[in-house]
């Protein structure tokens, strides 16, 4: 039990995939233009990550070492395609705004990374805990980034059509640079610098 | 910058060894500030006292940000004037009626992100003022494309929107020579400091005369633009060099020590590349003006240029050239035999120097 | 390497084959349940875009290339629509031009009923104003020859500061409609025959 909690916590804090391992930056930077996108992306990544970890962990005893990476990739690609088709069928709007980045979860290194580094060596329960932790960690990171990008870039925060608040002044003159790709790098850079300055990330 | 004491042809000041001189960063920066006062006066004359406010806000923000950034990085804050220059330059490339909050955001970005985040003066890859302008242009595209016609009254706050000479929809009523004169004196719409080619030229000549900048970059840069505009049918070369921010960019921004190549050859490549980019953007691109982006793009190339035209280290003797294809050595005997001769002759020449 | 080792060489191949087979079966199953939903979702989304201009539409038909449409109410033709593409400042601008049901002897007869932007990547805050109603409403009830900037004698005012995007919209409409006019005529005549 202690084990499982530790694995869960690890992904969220000590080994946060985005802020500390710096994995999966491509979707993080590309789709973090709004909180809606961040939630959608997190849900998709979570599903793929947990399912992949479960399957990989279950077959870890029988997978021949020589073909383990192709096997993992096939499993991940299958799961991603399932997510992609399901999203297209049931939530076409979100699927459209996430666009190419849903199929690209296949090459998201968090997922293959966890399958190879953790699930293929650990028990089912530990692997699920690890996937949950990593998924939540990813979700927190991408949500923080998209919060700043949406706030600065559009001047207001809207979550699934519900208007939360709009920043006075910013709303009339939003800094559209933060919606553009450049803004993603700026926000991520500033966040990493702040975290490091506060000592959350050990330097070196 | 010690040419006054040493024969210029023998010692080109670039990478080490250096000869010490009384000139230091602080003095150089204050000379630049002095030279920049002219375009600022021009801006105030053409667009009113508000532009002076823009300059002051920009400079104060730049200095404050530098101070705060140094505190954050736990470095000593030195008032070397570079923040003042960045602040002034940034203000000069802004539209005359830009709101002050945008100036504050931009100037803070210039110093905090473009300069200090990369390690402070001497470590920045891009020219801070221009990168700040690019940031503000992308952020507030609407604000950065609203130009006004010159009001020519210091106290006036009026603004009549007008297009810049390079912008689309600009039409000039008078004759071509009148247009040239207006461009020369700055009687056209545009950024605070870019309209008057003459004021910038005087400031630039001051920098040249004091040895703060070399002639190479401005001359090659403007020359390339002129030549290319002259070669492309339908373009007016005189108009192209007088309009827009070319003079300001050529004298004050492309020559930035930190972000341009160190060697003479490198500077030629840098200035030529920037000139080509200006014409490409202006004539074939979808933006009316390309000076800022041409310099920023060449800034990005600077490390590459520096690596390629690496100057010979002082006292360096090139190693004897070996054939790259040892197996074909016999076939290449003539080449191999020729080369050492050439090498030794150059060695002798250098020895004579 | 002389002798094939079953455990080391054949098992991995078999294992991978089995995994791929399972994956194919799973995907085929998911596809079979989502395929129709995806198609209807696409169709619905497009129908919604058309109904912006034809509020009383009940159905529409398209040609094979899927760029020209005839819109019906019950069995009466109430208008046409053409997908148009312009190259803007940041990339392609995909638009839908709704047309009045005029006779189609030449492009000069066309009257625009409205314009909507399907997708674009123009600069936020500047070029993306092409999606705002103040700009798009200018395209209502305009004859085809009037699709030109007011500066050059047409009926459309450019967005200030975003001349390139405005021009891209106009050029895209003009060139796409000229290209697709023949297929539109073909589609309309085939509909009338049936």
């Amino acid at each position: 039990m202690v084990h499982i909690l530790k694995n869960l916590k690890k992904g969220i804090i000590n080994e946060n995939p985005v802020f500390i391992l710096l994995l999966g930056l491509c979707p993080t930077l590309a789709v973090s233009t709004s909180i809606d996108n961040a939630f959608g992306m997190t849900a998709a990544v979570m599903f793929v990550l947990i399912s992949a970890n479960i399957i990989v962990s279950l077959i870890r005893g029988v997978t021949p070492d020589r073909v383990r990476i192709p096997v993992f990739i096939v499993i991940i690609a299958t799961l991603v395609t399932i997510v992609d088709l399901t999203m297209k069928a049931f939530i076409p709007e979100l699927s459209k705004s996430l666009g190419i980045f849903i199929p690209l979860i296949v090459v998201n290194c968090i997922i293959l990374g966890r399958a190879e580094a953790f699930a293929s060596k650990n028990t089912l329960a530990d692997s699920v805990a690890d996937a949950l932790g990593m998924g939540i960690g990813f979700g927190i990171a991408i949500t923080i980034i998209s919060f700043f990008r949406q706030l600065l870039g559009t001047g207001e925060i809207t979550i699934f059509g519900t208007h939360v608040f709009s920043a006075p002044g910013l709303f009339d003159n939003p800094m559209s640079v933060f919606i553009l790709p450049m803004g993603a790098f700026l926000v991520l850079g500033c966040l990493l610098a702040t975290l490091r300055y506060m000592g959350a990330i050990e330097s070196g | 910058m010690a040419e006054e004491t040493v024969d210029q042809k023998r010692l080109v000041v670039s990478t080490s060894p250096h000869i010490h001189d009384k000139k230091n960063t602080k003095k150089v920066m204050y000379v630049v500030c002095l030279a920049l006062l002219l375009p600022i006066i021009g801006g105030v004359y053409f667009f009113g006292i508000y532009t002076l406010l823009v300059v002051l806000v920009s400079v104060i923000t730049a200095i404050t940000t530098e101070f705060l950034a140094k505190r954050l990085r736990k470095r000593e804050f030195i008032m070397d004037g570079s923040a003042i220059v960045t602040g002034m330059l940034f203000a000069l490339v802004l539209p005359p009626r830009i709101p002050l909050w945008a100036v504050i955001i931009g100037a803070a970005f210039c110093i905090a992100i473009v300069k200090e985040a990369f390690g402070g003066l001497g470590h920045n890859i891009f020219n801070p003022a221009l990168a700040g302008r690019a940031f503000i242009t992308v952020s507030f595209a609407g604000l950065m494309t609203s130009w006004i016609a010159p009001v020519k009254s210091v106290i006036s706050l009026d603004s009549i929107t007008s297009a810049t000479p390079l912008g689309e929809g600009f039409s000039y009523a008078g004759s071509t020579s009148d247009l040239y004169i207006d461009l020369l004196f700055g009687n056209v719409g545009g950024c605070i400091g870019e309209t008057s080619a003459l004021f910038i030229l005087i400031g630039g000549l001051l920098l040249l005369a004091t040895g703060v900048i070399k002639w190479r970059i401005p001359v090659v840069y403007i020359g390339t633009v002129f030549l290319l505009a002259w070669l492309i049918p339908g373009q007016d070369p005189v108009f192209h060099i007088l309009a827009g921010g070319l003079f300001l960019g050529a004298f004050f921004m492309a020559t930035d020590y930190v972000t341009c190549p160190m060697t003479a050859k490198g500077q030629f490549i840098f200035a030529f590349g920037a000139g080509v980019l200006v014409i490409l953007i202006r004539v074939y691109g979808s933006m009316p003006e390309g000076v800022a982006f041409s310099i920023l793009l060449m800034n990005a190339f600077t490390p590459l240029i520096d690596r390629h035209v690496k100057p010979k280290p002082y006292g360096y003797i090139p190693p004897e050239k070996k054939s790259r294809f040892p197996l074909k050595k016999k076939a290449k005997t003539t080449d191999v035999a020729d080369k050492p001769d050439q090498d030794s002759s150059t060695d002798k020449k250098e020895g004579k120097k | 390497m002389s002798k094939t080792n079953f455990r080391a060489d054949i098992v991995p191949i078999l294992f991978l084959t089995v995994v791929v087979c399972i994956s194919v079966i799973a995907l085929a199953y998911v596809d079979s349940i989502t395929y129709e939903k995806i198609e209807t979702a696409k169709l619905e989304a497009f129908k919604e875009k058309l109904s912006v201009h034809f509020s009383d539409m009940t159905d529409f038909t398209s040609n094979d290339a899927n760029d020209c449409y005839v819109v019906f109410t019950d069995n009466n033709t109430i208008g046409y629509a053409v997908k148009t593409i312009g190259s803007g400042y940041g990339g392609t601008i995909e638009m839908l031009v709704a047309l009045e049901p005029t006779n189609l002897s030449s492009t000069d007869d066309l009257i625009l009923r409205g314009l909507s932007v399907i997708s674009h990547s123009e600069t936020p805050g500047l070029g993306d104003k092409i999606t705002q109603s103040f700009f798009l409403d200018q395209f209502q009830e305009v004859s085809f020859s009037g699709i030109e900037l007011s500066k050059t004698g047409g009926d459309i005012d450019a967005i200030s500061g975003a001349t390139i995007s405005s021009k891209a919209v106009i050029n895209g409409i003009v060139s796409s409609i000229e290209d697709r006019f023949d297929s539109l005529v073909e589609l309309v005549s085939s509909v009338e025959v049936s």
Side-chain angles (χ1 to χ4, degrees):
Chain A
M1 199 58 211
V2 185
H3 233 48
I4 293 171
L5 276 179
K6 216 178 95 191
N7 281 326
L8 191 70
K9 197 184 140 199
K10 173 190 69 186
I12 305 172
I13 301 164
N14 318 48
E15 286 182 27
N16 186 301
V18 175
F19 288 144
I20 289 151
L21 303 180
L22 296 180
L23 286 178
L25 288 185
C26 166
T28 313
L29 294 173
V31 300
S32 58
T33 47
S34 71
I35 291 183
D36 296 6
N37 280 0
F39 285 167
M41 194 68 194
T42 308
V45 166
M46 281 272 245
F47 172 78
V48 177
L49 192 55
I50 294 172
S51 320
N53 263 18
I54 290 174
I55 299 172
V56 168
S57 176
L58 283 176
I59 61 165
R60 72 182 191 281
V62 288
T63 315
D65 215 30
R66 290 167 70 182
V67 290
R68 65 178 199 288
I69 299 287
V71 167
F72 297 163
I73 289 286
V74 169
I75 293 167
I76 293 166
T78 312
L79 291 167
V80 169
T81 316
I82 291 171
V83 170
D84 189 29
L85 290 175
T86 318
M87 280 181 109
K88 267 191 190 141
F90 297 102
I91 29 176
E93 283 298 304
L94 187 62
S95 162
K96 209 181 165 194
S97 75
L98 291 173
I100 185 71
F101 294 98
I102 289 295
L104 278 182
I105 297 176
V106 176
V107 289
N108 187 329
C109 27
I110 298 174
I111 294 159
L112 183 65
R114 291 333 284 176
E116 161 73 2
F118 197 90
S120 65
K121 299 183 187 98
N122 287 285
T123 60
L124 181 65
D126 282 342
S127 300
V128 173
D130 178 72
L132 258 175
M134 284 290 161
I136 295 170
F138 175 79
I140 290 172
I142 194 172
T143 310
I144 292 174
I145 295 172
S146 53
F147 171 80
F148 282 113
R149 285 185 71 188
Q150 195 181 7
L151 181 67
L152 295 168
T154 63
E156 58 176 346
I157 293 290
T158 309
I159 301 174
F160 294 115
T162 325
H163 182 260
V164 181
F165 69 91
S166 43
L170 253 178
F171 186 64
D172 305 316
N173 284 296
M175 301 177 71
S176 26
V177 65
F178 285 103
I179 288 295
L180 299 173
M182 179 192 159
F185 286 99
L186 271 176
V187 170
L188 182 68
C190 290
L191 280 174
L192 287 177
T194 316
L195 285 175
R196 178 161 289 204
Y197 189 75
M198 292 180 345
I201 305 171
E202 280 169 34
S203 44
Chain B
M1 274 135 260
E3 285 93 293
E4 290 89 348
T5 49
V6 183
D7 185 357
Q8 219 167 1
K9 280 180 185 167
R10 294 236 182 137
L11 187 68
V12 178
V13 177
S14 54
T15 45
S16 58
H18 292 280
I19 286 181
H20 272 275
D21 183 34
K22 277 177 194 160
K23 215 173 264 172
N24 58 25
T25 312
K26 206 168 172 173
K27 278 186 189 156
V28 167
M29 290 300 173
Y30 287 128
V31 173
V32 178
C33 286
L34 201 68
L36 279 174
L37 279 179
L38 274 167
I40 290 172
I41 292 167
V44 174
Y45 171 72
F46 287 117
F47 300 116
I49 197 81
Y50 181 78
T51 56
L52 190 66
L53 202 61
V54 172
V55 176
L56 283 176
V57 168
S58 173
V59 170
I60 291 167
T61 315
I63 296 172
T64 321
T65 316
E66 172 122 335
F67 177 73
L68 291 175
K70 291 279 189 221
R71 277 288 291 276
L72 267 175
R73 295 178 60 221
K74 301 186 180 72
R75 300 283 201 284
E76 196 191 348
F77 172 72
I78 306 162
M79 188 68 191
D80 59 8
S82 64
I84 302 177
V85 170
T86 301
M88 282 170 122
L89 279 173
F90 177 64
L92 287 177
V93 292
L94 293 174
R97 288 290 178 270
I98 185 150
L100 292 177
W101 53 263
V103 181
I104 294 174
I105 293 174
F109 179 84
C110 288
I111 299 292
I113 305 287
V114 187
K115 196 173 151 199
E116 290 301 327
F118 282 91
L121 182 69
H123 298 280
N124 47 312
I125 302 170
F126 297 101
N127 181 304
L130 283 178
R133 182 196 145 100
F135 177 76
I136 291 295
T137 310
V138 184
S139 291
F140 312 108
L143 292 179
M144 289 299 284
T145 44
S146 49
W147 308 105
I148 62 162
V151 290
K152 276 205 260 179
S153 154
V154 172
I155 44 159
S156 169
L157 276 171
D158 291 347
S159 53
I160 306 151
T161 43
S162 96
T164 60
L166 281 164
E168 290 188 61
F170 175 78
S171 56
Y172 192 76
S175 67
T176 334
S177 54
D178 284 346
L179 172 63
Y180 291 161
I181 288 166
D182 272 355
L183 284 170
L184 193 61
F185 287 99
N187 197 12
V188 287
C191 292
I192 292 174
E194 73 173 14
T195 57
S196 168
L198 190 69
F199 279 143
I200 300 162
L201 197 62
I202 297 171
L205 289 177
L206 178 70
L207 291 188
L208 277 173
T210 48
V212 170
I213 62 169
K214 301 273 177 50
W215 60 272
R216 278 185 216 105
I217 290 180
V219 169
V220 176
Y221 189 15
I222 297 169
T224 309
V225 171
F226 185 85
L227 205 70
L228 282 174
W230 180 64
L231 285 172
I232 296 168
Q235 301 296 327
D236 179 351
V238 182
F239 172 76
H240 265 288
I241 62 166
L242 290 177
L246 185 65
F247 274 52
L248 189 67
F251 283 104
F252 291 97
M253 286 156 174
T255 51
D256 180 357
Y257 293 152
V258 182
T259 55
C260 76
M262 286 180 284
T263 57
K265 204 168 147 196
Q267 289 175 358
F268 274 118
I269 299 171
F270 176 88
F272 177 74
V276 172
L277 283 170
V278 168
I279 287 292
L280 283 179
I281 295 172
R282 280 186 186 176
V283 180
Y284 301 107
S286 47
M287 278 187 292
E289 171 62 316
V291 168
F293 284 103
S294 78
I295 297 173
L296 283 174
L297 280 169
M298 290 316 287
N299 283 166
F301 276 110
T302 296
L304 203 67
I305 297 172
D306 266 339
R307 184 174 294 186
H308 261 269
V309 293
K310 211 180 261 174
K312 245 184 236 163
Y314 189 62
Y316 174 79
I317 301 161
E320 207 172 301
K321 275 193 181 164
K322 280 178 189 161
S323 170
R324 278 169 67 190
F325 309 101
L327 286 172
K328 291 181 183 172
K329 214 171 186 176
K330 271 180 191 169
K332 290 222 168 185
T333 1
T334 45
D335 289 1
V336 177
D338 279 346
K339 268 179 188 159
D341 278 339
Q342 281 173 357
D343 283 352
S344 58
S345 64
T346 44
D347 279 351
K348 270 176 209 160
K349 271 181 208 159
E350 274 174 7
K352 271 178 203 163
K353 274 183 189 173
Chain C
M1 280 310 288
S2 57
K3 208 177 161 202
T4 316
N5 184 332
F6 182 76
R7 264 201 82 76
D9 299 329
I10 306 295
V11 168
I13 297 172
L14 286 178
F15 189 83
L16 190 55
T17 317
V18 170
V19 169
V20 171
C21 286
I22 295 170
S23 137
V24 168
I25 294 165
L27 282 183
Y29 176 68
V30 173
D31 185 57
S32 70
I33 43 175
T34 54
Y35 180 78
E36 268 180 27
K37 279 221 164 70
I38 294 173
E39 289 304 307
T40 28
K42 266 188 197 161
L43 208 68
E44 283 302 315
F46 190 74
K47 221 171 179 178
E48 216 162 89
K49 291 218 170 75
L50 273 178
S51 65
V52 171
H53 304 292
F54 304 100
S55 49
D56 49 350
M57 70 171 277
T58 51
D59 200 10
F60 72 94
T61 178
S62 67
N63 62 347
D64 295 338
N66 203 28
D67 50 17
C68 301
Y69 311 90
V70 178
V71 183
F72 308 106
T73 303
D74 301 323
N75 274 322
N76 305 319
T77 305
I78 54 164
Y80 316 122
V82 178
K83 226 182 227 178
T84 60
I85 283 166
S87 58
Y89 183 79
T92 346
I93 307 172
E94 217 185 330
M95 295 161 288
L96 188 70
V97 178
L99 297 163
E100 294 290 350
T102 49
N103 71 331
L104 298 168
S105 50
S106 79
T107 49
D108 296 333
D109 298 332
L110 295 174
I111 294 168
L112 268 73
R113 194 182 171 114
L115 174 74
S116 47
V117 176
I118 298 175
S119 68
H120 76 97
S121 41
E122 299 305 284
T123 320
L126 206 58
D128 73 346
K129 284 184 187 152
I130 56 167
T131 59
Q132 291 177 5
S133 54
F134 82 90
F135 179 70
L136 292 176
D137 287 351
Q138 297 185 86
F139 291 87
Q140 285 170 4
E141 306 306 322
V142 180
S143 69
F144 184 65
S145 55
I147 304 292
E148 207 174 326
L149 286 183
S150 47
K151 212 164 60 193
T152 46
D155 290 341
I156 312 295
D157 293 326
I159 300 162
S160 68
T163 326
I164 291 149
S165 302
S166 320
K167 259 192 196 163
V169 168
I170 285 164
N171 293 343
I173 294 173
V174 172
S175 67
S176 296
I177 287 191
E178 275 169 359
D179 283 353
R180 289 168 185 176
F181 186 66
D182 289 339
S183 39
L184 179 66
V185 171
E186 207 174 292
L187 176 71
V188 170
S189 55
S190 75
V191 166
E192 276 162 7
V193 168
S194 65

